[in-house]
Amino acid sequence: MGTYTPTDLVAALEQGMCRVIFKKKSNDLLRIMYCTWEPEVLAREKMPVENLNEGSRLIVWDIEKNGWRSFDLSTVIDFTPNIENIEKLGD
């Protein structure tokens, strides 16, 4: 996960959209997810912050899938905070 700690990841998610690259446990494939914990999203989707952390798993709002998804912190390969626009990344 580079130099980011789980605390860094949570703090960045609360500030805006982030890109997380992780290995799916179900099939070992890499997944790129654009996600957030922005307060407006949590309020709109009626998800209290205390429900977003399940031990080593984080539940996040997936911007592209428009739904709640989760990933295990131990499978994170790369993390990019403060993404303003998905198209800027060229993915």
Side-chain angles (χ1 to χ4, degrees):
M1 189 165 66
T3 60
Y4 293 103
T5 66
T7 302
D8 295 330
L9 200 144
V10 167
L13 284 165
E14 290 173 337
Q15 296 300 310
M17 183 169 53
C18 301
R19 178 179 70 177
V20 180
I21 301 173
F22 62 97
K23 188 181 283 191
K24 292 179 70 170
K25 284 197 167 191
S26 61
N27 58 16
D28 282 340
L29 294 177
L30 289 184
R31 168 119 169 8
I32 299 172
M33 180 167 43
Y34 297 92
C35 51
T36 188
W37 275 11
E38 286 181 319
E40 311 82 58
V41 172
L42 300 184
R44 181 183 72 228
E45 301 303 327
K46 298 178 176 73
M47 177 67 84
V49 174
E50 58 269 12
N51 292 351
L52 297 175
N53 190 340
E54 296 180 338
S56 66
R57 295 189 71 73
L58 286 182
I59 300 170
V60 295
W61 183 258
D62 186 321
I63 303 290
E64 294 179 306
K65 303 241 185 225
N66 203 30
W68 295 106
R69 301 291 187 269
S70 67
F71 59 90
D72 193 298
L73 292 170
S74 67
T75 66
V76 174
I77 306 226
D78 190 41
F79 169 71
T80 306
N82 304 318
I83 302 298
E84 291 182 25
N85 189 334
I86 294 172
E87 288 77 31
K88 287 183 182 178
L89 293 171
D91 289 332

Coordinates of all heavy atoms in Angstrom, one line a residue:
M1 N 0.8 -1.2 0.0 CA 0.0 0.0 0.0 C 0.9 1.2 0.0 O 0.4 2.3 0.3 CB -0.9 0.0 1.2 CG -2.0 1.0 1.2 SD -3.4 0.8 2.3 CE -2.6 1.0 3.9
G2 N 2.1 1.2 -0.3 CA 3.0 2.3 -0.3 C 3.2 2.9 1.1 O 3.3 2.2 2.0
T3 N 3.1 4.2 1.2 CA 3.4 4.9 2.4 C 2.1 5.2 3.2 O 2.1 5.9 4.2 CB 4.2 6.2 2.2 OG1 3.5 7.0 1.4 CG2 5.5 5.9 1.6
Y4 N 1.0 4.8 2.7 CA -0.3 5.1 3.3 C -0.7 4.0 4.3 O -0.6 2.8 4.1 CB -1.4 5.1 2.2 CG -1.3 6.3 1.3 CD1 -0.8 6.1 0.0 CD2 -1.6 7.6 1.7 CE1 -0.6 7.2 -0.8 CE2 -1.4 8.7 0.9 CZ -0.9 8.4 -0.4 OH -0.8 9.5 -1.3
T5 N -1.1 4.5 5.5 CA -1.6 3.6 6.5 C -3.2 3.5 6.4 O -3.8 4.3 5.7 CB -1.3 4.2 7.9 OG1 -2.0 5.4 8.1 CG2 0.2 4.4 8.1
P6 N -3.8 2.5 7.0 CA -5.2 2.5 7.0 C -5.9 3.8 7.5 O -6.9 4.2 7.0 CB -5.6 1.3 7.9 CG -4.4 0.4 7.8 CD -3.2 1.4 7.7
T7 N -5.3 4.4 8.5 CA -5.8 5.7 9.0 C -5.7 6.8 7.9 O -6.6 7.6 7.8 CB -4.9 6.2 10.2 OG1 -5.0 5.1 11.2 CG2 -5.4 7.5 10.8
D8 N -4.6 6.8 7.1 CA -4.5 7.7 6.0 C -5.6 7.5 5.0 O -6.2 8.4 4.5 CB -3.2 7.6 5.3 CG -2.0 8.0 6.1 OD1 -2.1 8.8 7.0 OD2 -0.9 7.4 5.9
L9 N -5.9 6.2 4.7 CA -6.9 5.9 3.7 C -8.3 6.4 4.2 O -9.0 7.0 3.4 CB -6.9 4.4 3.5 CG -7.5 3.9 2.2 CD1 -6.7 2.7 1.7 CD2 -8.9 3.5 2.4
V10 N -8.6 6.1 5.4 CA -9.9 6.6 5.9 C -10.0 8.1 5.9 O -11.0 8.6 5.5 CB -10.1 6.0 7.4 CG1 -11.2 6.7 8.1 CG2 -10.3 4.5 7.3
A11 N -9.0 8.8 6.3 CA -9.0 10.2 6.3 C -9.2 10.8 4.9 O -10.0 11.7 4.7 CB -7.7 10.8 6.9
A12 N -8.5 10.2 3.9 CA -8.7 10.6 2.5 C -10.1 10.3 2.0 O -10.7 11.1 1.3 CB -7.6 10.0 1.6
L13 N -10.6 9.2 2.3 CA -12.0 8.8 1.9 C -13.0 9.8 2.4 O -14.0 10.2 1.7 CB -12.4 7.4 2.4 CG -11.8 6.3 1.6 CD1 -11.9 5.0 2.4 CD2 -12.4 6.1 0.2
E14 N -12.8 10.3 3.6 CA -13.7 11.3 4.2 C -13.6 12.6 3.5 O -14.6 13.4 3.6 CB -13.4 11.4 5.7 CG -13.8 10.2 6.5 CD -13.4 10.3 8.0 OE1 -12.4 11.0 8.3 OE2 -14.0 9.6 8.8
Q15 N -12.5 12.9 2.9 CA -12.3 14.2 2.2 C -12.8 14.2 0.8 O -13.0 15.3 0.2 CB -10.8 14.6 2.2 CG -10.2 14.8 3.6 CD -11.0 15.9 4.3 OE1 -11.1 17.0 3.8 NE2 -11.4 15.6 5.6
G16 N -12.9 13.1 0.1 CA -13.4 13.1 -1.3 C -13.2 11.8 -1.9 O -13.0 10.7 -1.3
M17 N -13.1 11.8 -3.3 CA -13.0 10.6 -4.0 C -11.5 10.1 -4.1 O -10.6 10.9 -4.2 CB -13.5 10.8 -5.5 CG -13.4 9.5 -6.3 SD -14.3 9.6 -7.9 CE -13.5 11.1 -8.6
C18 N -11.4 8.8 -3.9 CA -10.0 8.2 -4.0 C -10.1 7.0 -4.9 O -11.1 6.5 -5.2 CB -9.7 7.6 -2.6 SG -9.7 8.9 -1.3
R19 N -8.9 6.7 -5.4 CA -8.8 5.5 -6.3 C -8.0 4.4 -5.4 O -7.0 4.7 -4.9 CB -8.0 5.8 -7.5 CG -7.8 4.5 -8.4 CD -7.0 4.8 -9.7 NE -5.7 5.1 -9.3 CZ -4.7 5.3 -10.2 NH1 -5.0 5.3 -11.5 NH2 -3.5 5.5 -9.9
V20 N -8.6 3.2 -5.4 CA -8.0 2.1 -4.6 C -7.8 1.0 -5.6 O -8.7 0.6 -6.4 CB -8.9 1.7 -3.5 CG1 -8.3 0.5 -2.7 CG2 -9.2 2.8 -2.5
I21 N -6.6 0.4 -5.7 CA -6.4 -0.7 -6.5 C -6.1 -1.9 -5.5 O -5.2 -1.7 -4.6 CB -5.1 -0.5 -7.4 CG1 -5.4 0.6 -8.4 CG2 -4.9 -1.8 -8.2 CD1 -4.2 1.0 -9.2
F22 N -6.8 -2.9 -5.6 CA -6.7 -4.0 -4.7 C -6.9 -5.4 -5.4 O -7.4 -5.4 -6.5 CB -7.7 -3.9 -3.5 CG -9.1 -3.9 -3.9 CD1 -9.9 -5.1 -3.8 CD2 -9.8 -2.8 -4.4 CE1 -11.2 -5.1 -4.2 CE2 -11.1 -2.8 -4.7 CZ -11.8 -4.0 -4.6
K23 N -6.5 -6.4 -4.8 CA -6.6 -7.8 -5.3 C -7.9 -8.4 -4.7 O -8.0 -8.4 -3.4 CB -5.4 -8.6 -5.0 CG -5.5 -10.0 -5.6 CD -4.3 -10.8 -5.3 CE -3.1 -10.4 -6.0 NZ -1.9 -11.3 -5.9
K24 N -8.8 -8.8 -5.5 CA -10.0 -9.4 -5.0 C -9.7 -10.8 -4.4 O -9.0 -11.6 -5.0 CB -11.0 -9.6 -6.2 CG -11.6 -8.2 -6.7 CD -12.5 -8.4 -7.8 CE -13.8 -9.0 -7.3 NZ -14.9 -9.0 -8.3
K25 N -10.3 -11.0 -3.2 CA -10.0 -12.3 -2.6 C -10.7 -13.4 -3.2 O -10.2 -14.6 -3.2 CB -10.4 -12.2 -1.1 CG -9.4 -11.4 -0.3 CD -9.6 -11.7 1.2 CE -8.5 -11.1 1.9 NZ -8.4 -11.6 3.3
S26 N -11.8 -13.2 -3.9 CA -12.6 -14.2 -4.5 C -11.9 -14.9 -5.7 O -12.1 -16.0 -6.0 CB -14.0 -13.7 -4.9 OG -13.8 -12.7 -5.9
N27 N -11.1 -14.1 -6.5 CA -10.5 -14.6 -7.7 C -9.1 -14.1 -8.0 O -8.5 -14.4 -9.0 CB -11.4 -14.3 -8.9 CG -11.6 -12.9 -9.1 OD1 -11.0 -12.0 -8.5 ND2 -12.7 -12.6 -9.9
D28 N -8.5 -13.4 -7.0 CA -7.1 -12.8 -7.2 C -6.9 -11.8 -8.3 O -5.8 -11.5 -8.6 CB -6.1 -13.9 -7.3 CG -5.8 -14.6 -6.0 OD1 -6.1 -13.9 -4.9 OD2 -5.2 -15.7 -5.9
L29 N -8.0 -11.4 -8.9 CA -7.9 -10.4 -10.0 C -7.8 -9.0 -9.4 O -8.3 -8.7 -8.3 CB -9.1 -10.4 -10.9 CG -9.4 -11.6 -11.7 CD1 -10.7 -11.5 -12.5 CD2 -8.2 -11.9 -12.7
L30 N -7.0 -8.1 -10.1 CA -6.9 -6.7 -9.6 C -8.2 -6.0 -9.9 O -8.8 -6.2 -11.0 CB -5.7 -6.0 -10.2 CG -4.3 -6.5 -9.8 CD1 -3.3 -5.7 -10.4 CD2 -4.2 -6.5 -8.3
R31 N -8.6 -5.1 -9.0 CA -9.7 -4.3 -9.2 C -9.4 -2.8 -8.9 O -8.7 -2.5 -8.0 CB -10.9 -4.7 -8.3 CG -12.0 -3.7 -8.2 CD -13.3 -4.4 -8.7 NE -14.6 -3.8 -8.5 CZ -15.0 -2.6 -8.1 NH1 -14.1 -1.7 -7.7 NH2 -16.3 -2.3 -8.1
I32 N -9.8 -1.9 -9.8 CA -9.6 -0.5 -9.6 C -11.0 0.1 -9.2 O -12.0 -0.2 -9.9 CB -9.1 0.2 -10.8 CG1 -7.7 -0.3 -11.2 CG2 -9.0 1.7 -10.6 CD1 -7.2 0.2 -12.6
M33 N -11.0 0.7 -8.0 CA -12.3 1.3 -7.6 C -12.1 2.7 -7.2 O -11.2 3.1 -6.5 CB -12.8 0.5 -6.4 CG -14.1 1.0 -5.8 SD -15.0 -0.1 -4.6 CE -13.7 -0.7 -3.6
Y34 N -13.1 3.5 -7.6 CA -13.1 4.9 -7.3 C -14.2 5.0 -6.2 O -15.4 4.7 -6.5 CB -13.5 5.8 -8.5 CG -12.4 5.7 -9.5 CD1 -12.4 4.8 -10.5 CD2 -11.3 6.6 -9.4 CE1 -11.4 4.7 -11.5 CE2 -10.2 6.4 -10.4 CZ -10.3 5.5 -11.4 OH -9.3 5.4 -12.3
C35 N -13.8 5.5 -5.0 CA -14.7 5.4 -3.9 C -14.6 6.6 -3.0 O -13.7 7.4 -3.1 CB -14.5 4.1 -3.1 SG -12.8 3.8 -2.7
T36 N -15.6 6.7 -2.1 CA -15.6 7.9 -1.1 C -16.3 7.6 0.1 O -17.1 6.6 0.2 CB -16.2 9.1 -1.8 OG1 -16.0 10.3 -1.0 CG2 -17.7 8.9 -2.1
W37 N -16.1 8.4 1.1 CA -16.9 8.5 2.4 C -17.3 9.9 2.6 O -17.6 10.4 3.7 CB -16.0 8.1 3.6 CG -15.9 6.6 3.9 CD1 -16.3 5.6 3.1 CD2 -15.3 6.1 5.1 NE1 -16.0 4.4 3.8 CE2 -15.4 4.7 5.0 CE3 -14.8 6.7 6.2 CZ2 -14.9 3.9 6.0 CZ3 -14.3 5.8 7.2 CH2 -14.3 4.4 7.1
E38 N -17.5 10.7 1.5 CA -17.9 12.1 1.6 C -19.2 12.2 2.4 O -20.1 11.4 2.2 CB -18.1 12.7 0.3 CG -16.8 13.0 -0.4 CD -17.0 13.7 -1.8 OE1 -17.9 13.3 -2.5 OE2 -16.3 14.6 -2.1
P39 N -19.2 13.1 3.4 CA -20.4 13.2 4.2 C -21.7 13.3 3.5 O -22.7 12.7 3.9 CB -20.2 14.5 5.1 CG -18.7 14.6 5.1 CD -18.2 14.0 3.8
E40 N -21.7 14.0 2.3 CA -23.0 14.2 1.5 C -23.4 12.8 1.0 O -24.6 12.6 1.0 CB -22.8 15.1 0.3 CG -22.1 16.5 0.6 CD -20.6 16.4 0.7 OE1 -19.9 16.0 -0.3 OE2 -20.1 16.7 1.8
V41 N -22.5 12.0 0.6 CA -22.9 10.7 0.1 C -23.4 9.8 1.2 O -24.4 9.1 1.1 CB -21.7 10.0 -0.6 CG1 -22.0 8.6 -1.0 CG2 -21.2 10.8 -1.8
L42 N -22.7 9.8 2.4 CA -23.2 9.0 3.5 C -24.5 9.4 3.9 O -25.4 8.6 4.2 CB -22.2 9.1 4.6 CG -20.7 8.7 4.4 CD1 -19.9 8.8 5.6 CD2 -20.7 7.3 3.8
A43 N -24.8 10.7 4.0 CA -26.1 11.2 4.4 C -27.2 10.8 3.4 O -28.3 10.3 3.7 CB -26.1 12.7 4.6
R44 N -26.9 11.0 2.1 CA -27.8 10.6 1.0 C -28.2 9.1 1.0 O -29.3 8.7 0.8 CB -27.3 11.1 -0.3 CG -28.2 10.8 -1.5 CD -27.6 11.2 -2.8 NE -26.6 10.2 -3.2 CZ -25.4 10.5 -3.6 NH1 -25.0 11.8 -3.7 NH2 -24.5 9.6 -3.9
E45 N -27.2 8.3 1.2 CA -27.3 6.9 1.2 C -27.7 6.3 2.5 O -27.7 5.0 2.7 CB -26.1 6.2 0.6 CG -25.8 6.7 -0.8 CD -26.9 6.5 -1.8 OE1 -27.7 5.5 -1.7 OE2 -27.1 7.3 -2.7
K46 N -27.8 7.1 3.5 CA -28.2 6.7 4.9 C -27.3 5.6 5.5 O -27.8 4.6 6.0 CB -29.7 6.2 4.9 CG -30.7 7.3 4.5 CD -32.1 6.8 4.4 CE -33.1 7.9 4.1 NZ -33.1 8.4 2.8
M47 N -26.0 5.9 5.4 CA -25.0 5.0 6.0 C -24.3 5.7 7.1 O -23.5 6.6 6.8 CB -24.1 4.5 4.9 CG -23.0 3.6 5.4 SD -23.5 2.0 6.0 CE -23.6 1.0 4.5
P48 N -24.5 5.3 8.3 CA -23.7 5.9 9.4 C -22.2 5.5 9.4 O -21.9 4.3 9.0 CB -24.4 5.3 10.7 CG -25.3 4.2 10.3 CD -25.5 4.3 8.8
V49 N -21.4 6.4 9.7 CA -19.9 6.2 9.6 C -19.5 4.9 10.4 O -18.6 4.2 10.0 CB -19.1 7.4 10.1 CG1 -17.6 7.1 10.1 CG2 -19.4 8.6 9.1
E50 N -20.1 4.7 11.5 CA -19.7 3.6 12.4 C -20.0 2.2 11.7 O -19.4 1.2 12.1 CB -20.4 3.6 13.8 CG -21.9 3.6 13.8 CD -22.5 5.0 13.7 OE1 -21.8 6.0 13.5 OE2 -23.7 5.1 13.9
N51 N -20.7 2.2 10.7 CA -21.0 0.9 10.0 C -20.0 0.7 8.8 O -20.2 -0.3 8.1 CB -22.4 0.9 9.4 CG -23.5 0.9 10.5 OD1 -23.2 0.7 11.6 ND2 -24.7 1.1 10.1
L52 N -19.1 1.6 8.6 CA -18.2 1.5 7.4 C -16.9 0.7 7.6 O -16.2 0.4 6.7 CB -17.9 2.9 6.9 CG -19.1 3.7 6.5 CD1 -18.6 5.1 6.1 CD2 -19.7 3.0 5.3
N53 N -16.7 0.3 8.8 CA -15.4 -0.5 9.1 C -15.8 -1.8 9.7 O -16.4 -1.8 10.8 CB -14.5 0.4 10.0 CG -13.2 -0.2 10.2 OD1 -12.9 -1.4 9.9 ND2 -12.2 0.6 10.6
E54 N -15.4 -2.9 9.1 CA -15.6 -4.2 9.6 C -14.3 -4.9 9.8 O -13.9 -5.7 9.0 CB -16.5 -5.0 8.6 CG -17.9 -4.5 8.4 CD -18.6 -5.4 7.4 OE1 -18.0 -6.1 6.6 OE2 -19.9 -5.3 7.5
G55 N -13.6 -4.5 10.8 CA -12.2 -5.1 11.1 C -11.3 -4.6 10.0 O -11.0 -3.4 9.8
S56 N -10.7 -5.6 9.2 CA -9.8 -5.2 8.2 C -10.5 -4.9 6.9 O -9.8 -4.6 5.9 CB -8.8 -6.4 8.0 OG -9.5 -7.5 7.4
R57 N -11.8 -4.9 6.8 CA -12.5 -4.5 5.6 C -13.1 -3.1 5.8 O -13.6 -2.8 6.8 CB -13.7 -5.5 5.4 CG -13.2 -6.9 5.1 CD -14.3 -7.8 4.6 NE -14.8 -7.5 3.3 CZ -14.1 -7.7 2.2 NH1 -13.0 -8.3 2.2 NH2 -14.7 -7.5 1.0
L58 N -13.0 -2.4 4.7 CA -13.7 -1.1 4.6 C -14.8 -1.1 3.7 O -14.7 -1.7 2.6 CB -12.7 0.0 4.2 CG -11.6 0.5 5.1 CD1 -10.8 1.5 4.5 CD2 -12.2 1.0 6.4
I59 N -15.9 -0.6 4.1 CA -17.1 -0.5 3.2 C -17.1 1.0 2.7 O -16.9 1.9 3.4 CB -18.4 -0.7 4.0 CG1 -18.4 -2.2 4.5 CG2 -19.6 -0.5 3.1 CD1 -19.5 -2.5 5.5
V60 N -17.2 1.1 1.4 CA -17.0 2.4 0.7 C -18.2 2.6 -0.3 O -18.7 1.6 -0.8 CB -15.7 2.6 0.0 CG1 -14.6 2.6 1.1 CG2 -15.4 1.5 -1.0
W61 N -18.4 3.8 -0.7 CA -19.4 4.1 -1.8 C -18.6 4.1 -3.1 O -17.7 4.9 -3.3 CB -20.0 5.5 -1.6 CG -21.0 5.7 -2.7 CD1 -20.9 6.5 -3.7 CD2 -22.3 5.2 -2.8 NE1 -22.0 6.5 -4.5 CE2 -22.9 5.7 -3.9 CE3 -23.1 4.3 -2.0 CZ2 -24.2 5.3 -4.3 CZ3 -24.4 3.9 -2.4 CH2 -24.9 4.5 -3.6
D62 N -18.9 3.1 -4.0 CA -18.2 3.0 -5.3 C -18.9 4.0 -6.2 O -20.1 3.9 -6.5 CB -18.4 1.5 -5.7 CG -17.6 1.2 -7.0 OD1 -17.6 2.1 -7.9 OD2 -17.1 0.1 -7.2
I63 N -18.1 4.9 -6.7 CA -18.6 6.0 -7.5 C -19.1 5.5 -8.9 O -20.2 5.9 -9.4 CB -17.5 7.0 -7.8 CG1 -16.9 7.6 -6.5 CG2 -18.0 8.1 -8.8 CD1 -17.8 8.5 -5.8
E64 N -18.4 4.5 -9.5 CA -18.8 4.0 -10.8 C -19.9 3.0 -10.7 O -20.8 3.0 -11.6 CB -17.6 3.3 -11.4 CG -16.5 4.3 -11.8 CD -15.3 3.6 -12.4 OE1 -14.8 2.7 -11.8 OE2 -14.9 4.1 -13.5
K65 N -20.0 2.2 -9.7 CA -21.1 1.2 -9.5 C -22.3 1.8 -8.9 O -23.3 1.1 -8.8 CB -20.6 0.0 -8.8 CG -19.3 -0.7 -9.4 CD -19.6 -2.1 -9.8 CE -18.3 -2.7 -10.4 NZ -18.5 -3.4 -11.6
N66 N -22.1 3.0 -8.3 CA -23.2 3.6 -7.6 C -23.8 2.8 -6.5 O -25.0 2.6 -6.5 CB -24.3 4.1 -8.6 CG -25.1 5.3 -8.0 OD1 -24.6 6.0 -7.3 ND2 -26.3 5.3 -8.5
G67 N -22.9 2.2 -5.7 CA -23.4 1.3 -4.6 C -22.3 1.0 -3.6 O -21.1 1.4 -3.8
W68 N -22.7 0.4 -2.5 CA -21.7 0.1 -1.5 C -20.9 -1.1 -1.8 O -21.5 -2.1 -2.3 CB -22.5 -0.2 -0.1 CG -23.2 1.1 0.4 CD1 -24.5 1.3 0.3 CD2 -22.5 2.2 0.9 NE1 -24.7 2.6 0.9 CE2 -23.5 3.1 1.2 CE3 -21.2 2.5 1.2 CZ2 -23.3 4.4 1.8 CZ3 -21.0 3.8 1.8 CH2 -22.0 4.7 2.1
R69 N -19.6 -1.1 -1.7 CA -18.7 -2.2 -1.9 C -17.7 -2.2 -0.8 O -17.6 -1.3 0.0 CB -17.9 -2.0 -3.2 CG -18.8 -1.9 -4.5 CD -19.5 -3.2 -4.8 NE -20.2 -3.2 -6.0 CZ -21.5 -2.9 -6.2 NH1 -22.2 -2.5 -5.1 NH2 -22.1 -2.9 -7.3
S70 N -17.0 -3.3 -0.7 CA -15.9 -3.4 0.4 C -14.7 -4.0 -0.2 O -14.7 -4.6 -1.2 CB -16.5 -4.2 1.6 OG -16.6 -5.5 1.2
F71 N -13.6 -3.8 0.5 CA -12.3 -4.4 0.2 C -11.5 -4.6 1.5 O -11.8 -3.9 2.5 CB -11.5 -3.5 -0.8 CG -11.2 -2.2 -0.3 CD1 -10.0 -1.9 0.4 CD2 -12.0 -1.1 -0.6 CE1 -9.7 -0.6 0.8 CE2 -11.8 0.2 -0.2 CZ -10.6 0.4 0.6
D72 N -10.7 -5.6 1.5 CA -9.8 -5.9 2.6 C -8.6 -5.0 2.5 O -7.9 -5.0 1.5 CB -9.5 -7.4 2.6 CG -8.9 -7.8 3.9 OD1 -7.8 -7.3 4.3 OD2 -9.5 -8.6 4.6
L73 N -8.2 -4.4 3.6 CA -7.0 -3.5 3.7 C -5.8 -4.2 3.3 O -4.8 -3.7 2.7 CB -6.9 -2.8 5.0 CG -8.0 -1.8 5.4 CD1 -7.9 -1.4 6.8 CD2 -7.8 -0.6 4.5
S74 N -5.7 -5.5 3.6 CA -4.5 -6.3 3.4 C -4.3 -6.6 1.9 O -3.2 -6.9 1.5 CB -4.5 -7.6 4.1 OG -5.5 -8.5 3.6
T75 N -5.3 -6.3 1.1 CA -5.2 -6.6 -0.4 C -4.9 -5.3 -1.2 O -4.8 -5.4 -2.4 CB -6.4 -7.3 -0.9 OG1 -7.5 -6.4 -0.8 CG2 -6.7 -8.6 -0.2
V76 N -4.8 -4.2 -0.5 CA -4.6 -2.9 -1.3 C -3.2 -2.9 -1.8 O -2.2 -3.1 -1.1 CB -4.9 -1.7 -0.3 CG1 -4.5 -0.4 -1.1 CG2 -6.3 -1.7 0.1
I77 N -3.2 -2.6 -3.2 CA -1.9 -2.5 -3.9 C -1.5 -1.1 -4.0 O -0.3 -0.7 -3.9 CB -2.0 -3.2 -5.2 CG1 -2.5 -4.6 -5.0 CG2 -0.7 -3.1 -6.1 CD1 -2.0 -5.7 -5.6
D78 N -2.4 -0.2 -4.3 CA -2.2 1.2 -4.5 C -3.4 2.0 -4.1 O -4.5 1.5 -4.2 CB -1.8 1.5 -6.0 CG -1.3 2.9 -6.2 OD1 -0.5 3.3 -5.4 OD2 -1.7 3.5 -7.2
F79 N -3.1 3.2 -3.7 CA -4.1 4.1 -3.2 C -3.8 5.5 -3.7 O -2.6 6.0 -3.5 CB -4.2 4.0 -1.7 CG -5.0 5.1 -1.1 CD1 -6.4 5.0 -1.2 CD2 -4.4 6.1 -0.3 CE1 -7.2 6.0 -0.6 CE2 -5.2 7.0 0.3 CZ -6.6 7.0 0.1
T80 N -4.7 6.2 -4.3 CA -4.5 7.6 -4.7 C -5.6 8.4 -4.1 O -6.8 8.3 -4.5 CB -4.6 7.7 -6.3 OG1 -3.6 6.8 -6.8 CG2 -4.2 9.1 -6.7
P81 N -5.3 9.4 -3.2 CA -6.3 10.2 -2.6 C -6.7 11.4 -3.4 O -5.9 11.8 -4.4 CB -5.6 10.7 -1.3 CG -4.2 10.7 -1.6 CD -4.0 9.6 -2.6
N82 N -7.8 12.0 -3.1 CA -8.2 13.3 -3.7 C -8.3 13.4 -5.2 O -7.7 14.2 -5.8 CB -7.2 14.4 -3.2 CG -7.2 14.5 -1.7 OD1 -8.2 14.3 -1.0 ND2 -6.0 14.6 -1.1
I83 N -9.0 12.4 -5.7 CA -9.2 12.3 -7.2 C -10.4 13.3 -7.5 O -11.4 13.1 -6.9 CB -9.6 10.9 -7.6 CG1 -8.5 9.9 -7.3 CG2 -9.9 10.9 -9.1 CD1 -7.1 10.2 -7.9
E84 N -10.2 14.3 -8.3 CA -11.2 15.2 -8.7 C -12.1 14.7 -9.8 O -13.3 14.9 -9.9 CB -10.7 16.5 -9.0 CG -10.1 17.3 -7.8 CD -9.5 18.6 -8.2 OE1 -10.0 19.2 -9.2 OE2 -8.6 19.1 -7.5
N85 N -11.5 14.0 -10.7 CA -12.2 13.5 -11.9 C -11.6 12.2 -12.4 O -10.4 12.2 -12.7 CB -12.1 14.6 -13.0 CG -13.0 14.4 -14.2 OD1 -13.3 13.3 -14.5 ND2 -13.3 15.5 -14.8
I86 N -12.4 11.2 -12.6 CA -11.9 9.9 -13.0 C -11.2 10.0 -14.4 O -10.2 9.4 -14.6 CB -13.1 8.9 -13.1 CG1 -13.6 8.7 -11.7 CG2 -12.6 7.6 -13.7 CD1 -14.9 7.8 -11.6
E87 N -11.7 10.8 -15.3 CA -11.2 10.9 -16.6 C -9.7 11.4 -16.6 O -8.9 11.1 -17.5 CB -12.0 11.8 -17.5 CG -13.3 11.2 -17.9 CD -14.4 11.2 -16.8 OE1 -14.4 12.1 -16.0 OE2 -15.2 10.3 -16.7
K88 N -9.4 12.2 -15.6 CA -8.0 12.8 -15.5 C -6.9 11.7 -15.4 O -5.8 11.8 -15.7 CB -7.9 13.7 -14.4 CG -8.6 15.0 -14.6 CD -8.3 16.0 -13.5 CE -9.1 17.3 -13.6 NZ -8.9 18.2 -12.5
L89 N -7.4 10.5 -14.8 CA -6.4 9.4 -14.6 C -6.1 8.6 -15.8 O -5.2 7.8 -15.9 CB -6.9 8.5 -13.5 CG -7.0 9.2 -12.1 CD1 -7.7 8.3 -11.1 CD2 -5.6 9.6 -11.6
G90 N -7.0 8.7 -16.8 CA -6.8 7.9 -18.0 C -7.0 6.5 -17.9 O -6.5 5.7 -18.7
D91 N -7.8 6.0 -16.9 CA -8.1 4.6 -16.8 C -9.3 4.2 -17.6 O -10.2 4.8 -17.8 CB -8.5 4.3 -15.3 CG -7.2 4.4 -14.4 OD1 -6.1 4.2 -14.9 OD2 -7.4 4.7 -13.2

